[in-house]
Every structure is written in structure tokens, then in C-alpha cells.
């Protein structure tokens, strides 16, 4: 049984990484796009692949629960926070070009990866220029936008499995589908991705990215914290249109609000708690189901524990 804030675990984690890479009782609202979430017992930011492997092995040996947090742009952490280790790979963020191949570590922001591709006149990742996730998070859910997705360009990946082994996988091994992969089922930690790009023209690539950025900025409430589109596209419908037609735009529970700018977004308008935000998600699902008979499936993950009363 894992003992919260165990001194022994703290010391071991610091030995594996370094003291500045392990934080105790770190508030996760600081690390999520929605600005929601209670404390992690241990927030760890390893700097090498070996450190990631060692942390996985420690969590197995000591039976410590373990959660992976990317850029926190596709998940909601509950107000009670997360027990055990929260691992963030933001310090593993190198991006390198090798001919027409682009190799990125999993903590790099996919926005920065698409900018790097632009700076080398490589085409294929324009669609990702406004997706605020990490490379690891983008592979996890086969992120996509405006007709493109990770599946189109991913060649291979390096991952750590649940036993702490390093594996080199082909893209096909990850079963990338619409907003999903087998990464959660397999329990893989993505460390690195290799993208196969094509030579292009700087001006053409930039024009596409500028156009997509304009579309995104004019349609999405990027001025507020949010988790992006809350729901997947239901077959035959658009989630945003169903929510709009249910007259839910502007609906508020506490500080959480269904965006007036884009009905598919729920924004943290004014110091919402995770509980309020999640209650609003349920309210939207129930209302749309009652009105149109359509079940809205969440795209965003909800993790962590409810607060202790
Ligand atoms: P997180 O939210 O931190 O985590 C999501 C899941 O990925 C978690 O289960 C986590 O454990 C897992 N994960 C994270 N890193 C790794 C890793 N290294 N290895 C294994 N698993 C990992 N998404 C789109 O697809 N298209 C869009 O156009 C889009 N637009 C958005 C706009 C806004 C304003 C926002 C806030 C979000 C948007 N998103 C979009 C959602 C989000 O950016 C993507 O899903 C992104 O890929 C999530 O990456 P992340 O690093 O933030 O993952």
C-alpha cells in the first residue's frame, strides 16, 4: 500500500533525477490548460530516457501509482488531485531534422515541431500549428485538425512499456485511428517520435499555417483557459451545432461556461473548480441527449480524485 508523501519515495525520486526535478504537493492547475486540478503527491520532470525507465521501475517495485501528464491540454484534473507520481516529460523537448525526417522528443510542443518543419521548408505538419499539446499527447490521441492528423506523418516512435523497457515501434504498431491509439491500452510512455515529411516551399507552408491560425483564432475562445473541444464528433452530427441548437451557449455552472464563441468549448471563465467544469459537461451531455437523442462522447479525459469533503 502506497503511503502519501512518503519521505523514502521522495528521496528515491530525487536520486533518480535531481532535487529540482521532483516537487512534492505540486498544484496541477499550474500545469493544465483549463487551470483546474488539485495537488500531485510528487510531480517529477525527468531529463533522460533512462530516468523515465528508472521511475517506471520504481513505481512497480514500490507499488506507487503513476500518471503521465503532457501539456495538460486534453484533460481535466479533479479538485482532489492525483495520488502517487505525476510524470511530465517537458524537459525532454529536443527537435531535430534529419533530411526529410523530423525527430522530436515527446515533451516538445507539437506547435514548435510544426514551426521547426516550416523553418526547414518541410511540409506535412501544417495542421498541427495550433494544437497546444505535447508530441506524446498528440500521438496518444492521434491529434488532428483541418483534415490532417498525426497518422499521416508518423513514421516510428520510441516508447517505454509498463515494465520500463525501451521499445522502437513502427507507426502501424500504435493502431492510430480517429482521435485514438493503442497507447493507453498498452500503457506506453512515448519518448520520441519520428515524422516523415516532404520537401515543400517555405511560403506555401507558411500561407497554410497562417490561414489555419486565422481560422482558429476567429472561431475558438483562445483568450480563456479550456480543454479545447470537449466532445468527439458524433457520427452524422457536429457536437458544437447540437450544443448550439440546445441553446446551451452561455450556460454557466459556477465559473465554468459553455463558450459563446464556440459551443463545443467549455471555458474556465472565472475561477471555476474542476467539479463545476465537470458538472457542466454532464449537463450538456444530458441536455443534448434529451433534446436530440444523441450521446456526446467526451474527447477530453478526466483524471484524479474528488476532493475530500
Ligand atoms: P495531455 O492533455 O497532457 O494528456 C492527454 C493524454 O495523453 C493523457 O492520458 C496523458 O497521459 C497522455 N500522454 C501525454 N503525454 C504522453 C506521453 N509522452 N506518452 C504517452 N501518453 C501521453 N486536439 C486535436 O486533436 N485537434 C485540435 O485541433 C485541438 N485543438 C485544441 C485547442 C485548444 C485550445 C485546446 C486547449 C486543446 C486542443 N486539442 C486539440 C486537444 C489537445 O491539444 C490535444 O489532444 C493534444 O494532443 C493533447 O496533448 P497534451 O500533451 O496536452 O496531453
Amino acid at each position: 500500500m502506497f503511503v502519501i508523501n512518503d519521505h523514502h519515495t521522495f528521496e528515491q525520486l530525487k536520486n533518480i533525477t535531481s532535487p529540482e526535478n521532483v516537487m512534492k504537493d505540486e498544484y496541477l492547475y499550474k500545469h493544465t490548460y483549463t487551470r483546474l486540478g488539485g495537488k500531485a503527491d510528487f510531480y517529477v520532470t525527468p531529463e533522460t530516457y533512462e530516468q523515465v525507465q528508472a521511475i517506471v521501475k520504481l513505481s512497480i517495485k514500490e507499488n506507487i501509482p503513476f500518471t503521465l501528464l503532457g501539456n495538460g491540454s486534453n484533460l481535466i484534473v479533479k479538485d482532489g488531485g492525483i495520488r502517487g507520481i505525476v510524470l511530465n516529460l517537458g524537459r525532454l523537448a529536443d527537435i531535430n531534422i534529419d533530411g526529410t525526417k523530423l525527430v522530436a522528443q515527446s515533451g516538445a510542443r507539437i506547435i514548435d515541431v510544426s514551426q521547426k518543419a516550416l523553418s526547414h521548408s518541410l511540409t506535412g505538419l501544417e495542421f498541427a500549428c495550433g494544437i497546444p499539446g505535447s508530441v506524446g499527447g498528440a500521438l496518444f490521441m492521434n491529434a488532428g485538425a483541418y483534415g490532417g492528423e498525426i497518422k499521416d506523418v508518423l513514421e516510428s516512435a520510441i516508447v517505454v512499456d509498463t515494465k520500463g523497457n525501451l521499445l522502437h515501434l513502427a507507426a502501424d504498431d500504435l493502431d492510430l485511428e480517429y482521435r485514438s491509439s493503442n497507447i493507453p491500452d498498452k500503457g506506453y510512455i512515448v519518448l520520441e517520435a519520428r515524422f516523415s515529411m516532404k520537401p515543400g516551399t517555405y511560403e506555401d507552408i507558411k500561407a497554410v499555417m497562417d490561414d489555419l491560425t486565422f481560422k482558429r483564432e476567429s472561431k475558438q475562445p483562445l483568450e480563456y483557459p479550456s480543454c479545447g473541444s470537449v466532445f468527439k464528433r458524433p457520427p452524422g452530427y457536429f457536437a458544437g451545432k447540437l450544443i448550439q441548437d440546445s441553446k446551451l451557449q452561455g450556460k454557466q455552472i459556477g465559473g465554468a461556461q459553455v463558450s459563446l464563441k464556440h459551443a463545443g468549448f467549455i471555458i474556465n471563465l472565472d475561477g471555476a473548480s474542476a467539479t463545476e467544469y465537470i458538472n457542466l459537461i454532464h449537463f450538456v451531455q444530458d441536455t443534448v441527449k434529451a433534446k436530440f437523442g444523441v450521446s456526446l462522447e467526451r474527447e477530453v479525459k478526466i483524471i484524479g480524485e474528488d476532493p475530500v469533503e
Side-chain angles (χ1 to χ4, degrees), residues 33 68-75 89 106 131-134 136-138 140-141 143-145 179 183 188-190 216 220 222 226-228 265 299 301:
Y33 259 74
L68 196 54
L69 185 70
N71 244 8
S73 66
N74 203 39
L75 46 77
L89 305 184
S106 66
I131 300 178
S134 64
F140 178 96
M141 63 102 66
R179 300 298 168 268
I183 294 172
Y188 291 150
I189 299 174
V190 177
R216 206 176 266 278
Q220 299 183 356
L222 301 180
S226 81
C227 55
F265 278 54
E299 178 173 306
K301 282 184 63 156

Side-chain angles (χ1 to χ4, degrees), residues 77-114:
V77 178
K78 291 186 182 179
D79 296 317
I82 299 181
R83 301 290 68 78
I85 300 169
V86 171
L87 192 66
N88 174 267
L89 305 184
R91 289 183 196 259
L92 286 163
D94 287 350
I95 308 170
N96 290 299
I97 303 283
D98 173 12
T100 55
K101 311 292 177 187
L102 191 157
V103 181
Q105 290 186 313
S106 66
R109 296 187 325 146
I110 196 79
I111 289 177
D112 295 337
V113 176
S114 68

Side-chain angles (χ1 to χ4, degrees), residues 138-151:
L139 264 61
F140 178 96
M141 63 102 66
N142 185 24
Y146 303 110
E149 56 181 359
I150 290 293
K151 187 181 178 179

Side-chain angles (χ1 to χ4, degrees), residues 86-295:
V86 171
L87 192 66
N88 174 267
L89 305 184
R91 289 183 196 259
L92 286 163
D94 287 350
I95 308 170
N96 290 299
I97 303 283
D98 173 12
T100 55
K101 311 292 177 187
L102 191 157
V103 181
Q105 290 186 313
S106 66
R109 296 187 325 146
I110 196 79
I111 289 177
D112 295 337
V113 176
S114 68
Q115 286 294 337
K116 183 87 170 187
L118 166 67
S119 68
H120 285 74
S121 302
L122 293 173
T123 178
L125 273 166
E126 291 87 333
F127 74 88
C129 70
I131 300 178
S134 64
V135 167
L139 264 61
F140 178 96
M141 63 102 66
N142 185 24
Y146 303 110
E149 56 181 359
I150 290 293
K151 187 181 178 179
D152 302 336
V153 275
L154 186 69
E155 181 176 291
S156 61
I158 300 178
V159 306
V160 170
D161 71 9
T162 51
K163 295 197 172 71
N165 302 312
L166 212 63
L167 307 180
H168 292 252
L169 301 177
D172 283 350
D173 296 329
L174 295 176
D175 291 348
L176 299 171
E177 303 281 349
Y178 173 68
R179 300 298 168 268
S180 78
S181 71
N182 64 12
I183 294 172
D185 290 345
K186 299 272 188 186
Y188 291 150
I189 299 174
V190 177
L191 294 181
E192 191 176 298
R194 188 176 170 89
F195 298 103
S196 184
M197 313 290 291
K198 290 200 171 69
T201 313
Y202 181 91
E203 287 70 28
D204 292 348
I205 298 167
K206 179 142 184 0
V208 172
M209 286 167 70
D210 286 348
D211 180 46
L212 297 185
T213 303
F214 175 77
K215 284 192 178 124
R216 206 176 266 278
E217 287 177 352
S218 56
K219 291 202 180 108
Q220 299 183 356
L222 301 180
E223 57 280 27
Y224 292 104
S226 81
C227 55
S229 296
V230 180
F231 304 104
K232 294 188 182 184
R233 195 178 55 222
Y237 298 91
F238 287 100
K241 177 91 170 65
L242 291 169
I243 296 166
Q244 200 177 358
D245 292 347
S246 301
K247 308 269 182 288
L248 283 168
Q249 279 186 287
K251 168 71 188 170
Q252 219 170 309
I253 294 185
Q257 187 193 56
V258 178
S259 167
L260 291 163
K261 194 168 175 185
H262 187 313
F265 278 54
I266 291 180
I267 58 171
N268 183 352
L269 180 67
D270 185 17
S273 66
T275 307
E276 290 165 354
Y277 201 97
I278 293 164
N279 285 346
L280 187 52
I281 292 176
H282 292 152
F283 185 85
V284 169
Q285 286 174 316
D286 292 346
T287 308
V288 168
K289 177 79 182 166
K291 214 168 164 68
F292 296 104
V294 179
S295 300

